[in-house]
Amino acid sequence: MKKRLYAVLLASPLLYSAAVFADDAQQLRDKLISTASLKADFKQTVTDVNQKVIQTGSGIFALAYPNQFYWHLTQPDESKIVADGKDLWIYNPFAEEVVIMDFAEAINASPIALLVHRDDATWSQYFVTKKQDCYEIKPKAVDSGILSVNVCFNNTQLTHFNVADDKGNLSQFDLSHQQAITNKDKALFTFILPDNIDVDDQRRKTAH
């Protein structure tokens, strides 16, 4: 759950210049700037390396700049990921366990980080390639568990995205009922620790 944010377009990658990649990244940044916050329902479909469906699910997805993220899988089994801008909380009700991680370390490991980051240092860690209404994001680090993220838009509205991991799995997410975060919704980004659960605190102890 912790790991759970290039197709060939021309014959030779040498035909792409650094300026083209930079332009694609800037276009994506401009779209995300216009989406300062978002709340939506999602439907998830996960396929394996043989394109066999191995999981489906649904839930609620929300994000807000800067560095706030909410992921609540409600079906078939509940799980929750909450980022408050400083810490990342991964909650598994069935196992009665919550894992706490430093936000920067946890989120920077995945291209999904770009949805809530605006700083140049974070963006410099990824390649961005535009493909019609979608943008493929790939980490420059070769040891990342996430191979790529594709985010797709209808004009400026984020409509769906998918995540490909190093096991050959593809997780596809379709969004619906998108809306901006309200004052009431801001509570989503605060994790309330339930009673009687195991806590695995992986944050740097010197920072807390």
Side-chain angles (χ1 to χ4, degrees), residues 40-82:
D41 297 330
F42 72 82
K43 290 186 177 180
Q44 173 186 8
T45 304
V46 183
T47 54
D48 63 14
V49 67
N50 298 313
Q51 299 184 342
K52 178 183 177 181
V53 175
I54 57 176
Q55 182 180 339
T56 59
S58 61
I60 300 171
F61 165 70
L63 58 85
Y65 173 78
N67 305 341
Q68 294 177 302
F69 186 85
Y70 177 84
W71 183 268
H72 188 186
L73 183 68
T74 56
Q75 297 290 337
D77 298 310
E78 185 181 15
S79 62
K80 187 180 292 186
I81 302 174
V82 179

Side-chain angles (χ1 to χ4, degrees), residues 96-168:
E96 297 183 327
E97 179 187 56
V98 62
V99 177
I100 313 173
M101 307 176 73
D102 286 317
F103 176 83
E105 292 187 3
I107 287 295
N108 286 348
S110 170
I112 207 71
L114 299 192
L115 296 179
V116 291
H117 272 290
R118 299 288 186 270
D119 60 284
D120 293 337
T122 300
W123 279 77
S124 68
Q125 299 177 42
Y126 303 97
F127 296 109
V128 178
T129 308
K130 184 179 181 181
K131 301 179 179 181
Q132 297 181 336
D133 295 325
C134 300
Y135 295 82
E136 183 181 57
I137 308 166
K138 296 189 69 173
K140 294 180 180 179
V142 296
D143 59 347
S144 174
I146 303 297
L147 298 183
S148 67
V149 169
N150 279 274
V151 293
C152 301
F153 295 83
N154 180 3
N155 294 319
T156 59
Q157 185 178 70
L158 180 64
T159 58
H160 59 278
F161 58 92
N162 62 55
V163 181
D165 66 25
D166 59 0
K167 301 296 190 298

